[in-house]
Amino acid sequence: EAVLNAIADYFIAALEVESCTISGWDIERDEVVTLLDRDPEPTAQVAVGSRFRIPDYPHYAALLHESRSLIVRRGDPGLDEALVRWLDAYLWQSLLTMPLIGKGRVIGLVELGERRRERDFSADEIRLAESLAGQAAAAIENARLFSAVQLLAVTDSLTGLHNRRHFIELAEREFQRARRYR
């Protein structure tokens, strides 16, 4: 969660956008899963854990399967119906969406939304966003690996139950808390 929040902060500050949504790609289910939604408009926020089926959103399919960025402005001619509904649902005038590519595969996507105006993202802004997306993918993958290693360190591989190390760490934390609160 801390990594995702830091990533959103960097995107919002660097590109001066209003909102940043970070999603993971569940390849087996062919769904996009919302991991974080940073949006100042509470009525337009996407709940963490929300799932969107790729076949229902053709713009996601192209983005994820072809590993390319997508820039959409409300006034663009020829927008597909699903994309128009997406813009309407979240009140966006402009949207820059790019894949998160980690270790040569797409692991998710980042959506940067703008409500105030239809925005033409410059080539430099797009390169910056794509560069940040690459770094974000690496950070997310590292955080996932770190969590997995932490879990392996405190669970028995055969039973999946907590091991002795977990109980010692838990006892140490509880002793510290007991001292702190007397």
Side-chain angles (χ1 to χ4, degrees):
E1 190 175 326
V3 169
L4 293 173
N5 278 307
I7 291 167
D9 289 342
Y10 281 112
F11 272 110
I12 290 169
L15 292 155
E16 298 176 352
V17 292
E18 291 178 72
S19 68
C20 177
T21 303
I22 302 170
S23 302
W25 185 18
D26 184 340
I27 297 170
E28 292 171 5
R29 291 185 172 167
D30 206 20
E31 294 178 329
V32 172
V33 182
T34 304
L35 302 175
L36 176 104
D37 185 32
R38 178 74 62 72
D39 197 323
E41 178 63 45
T43 59
Q45 288 182 354
V46 181
V48 170
S50 297
R51 293 181 166 270
F52 301 95
R53 290 180 20 84
I54 301 297
D56 298 340
Y57 298 94
H59 61 282
Y60 275 163
L63 181 114
L64 294 168
H65 293 293
E66 298 169 18
S67 301
R68 63 178 174 86
S69 296
L70 174 69
I71 303 166
V72 178
R73 287 167 297 281
R74 183 172 293 281
D76 289 349
L79 294 178
D80 69 64
E81 191 176 309
L83 194 46
V84 171
R85 281 194 315 269
W86 193 248
L87 292 171
D88 289 344
Y90 299 103
L91 313 171
W92 288 322
Q93 296 298 315
S94 299
L95 182 65
L96 170 59
T97 307
M98 68 220 87
L100 291 169
I101 302 171
K103 295 183 181 167
R105 64 182 180 85
V106 178
I107 63 167
L109 56 90
V110 174
E111 293 174 296
L112 304 174
E114 186 72 56
R115 282 194 187 85
R116 295 175 293 229
R117 60 185 159 66
E118 284 188 17
R119 179 173 173 179
D120 291 319
F121 290 94
S122 71
D124 287 340
E125 288 175 319
I126 294 166
R127 276 194 298 279
L128 173 62
E130 289 173 345
S131 175
L132 286 173
Q135 294 174 15
I140 290 168
E141 282 295 298
N142 287 341
R144 281 186 185 158
L145 289 172
F146 182 75
S147 287
V149 168
Q150 279 187 315
L151 183 62
L152 287 172
V154 295
T155 55
D156 179 75
S157 61
L158 182 62
T159 64
L161 298 173
H162 291 293
N163 62 18
R164 181 173 180 263
R165 178 181 178 171
H166 169 76
F167 290 111
I168 290 171
E169 289 175 359
L170 181 62
E172 287 176 9
R173 281 196 307 263
E174 289 302 315
F175 284 128
Q176 294 285 338
R177 191 164 64 116
R179 283 188 199 108
R180 193 168 51 244
Y181 295 108
R182 299 185 199 279

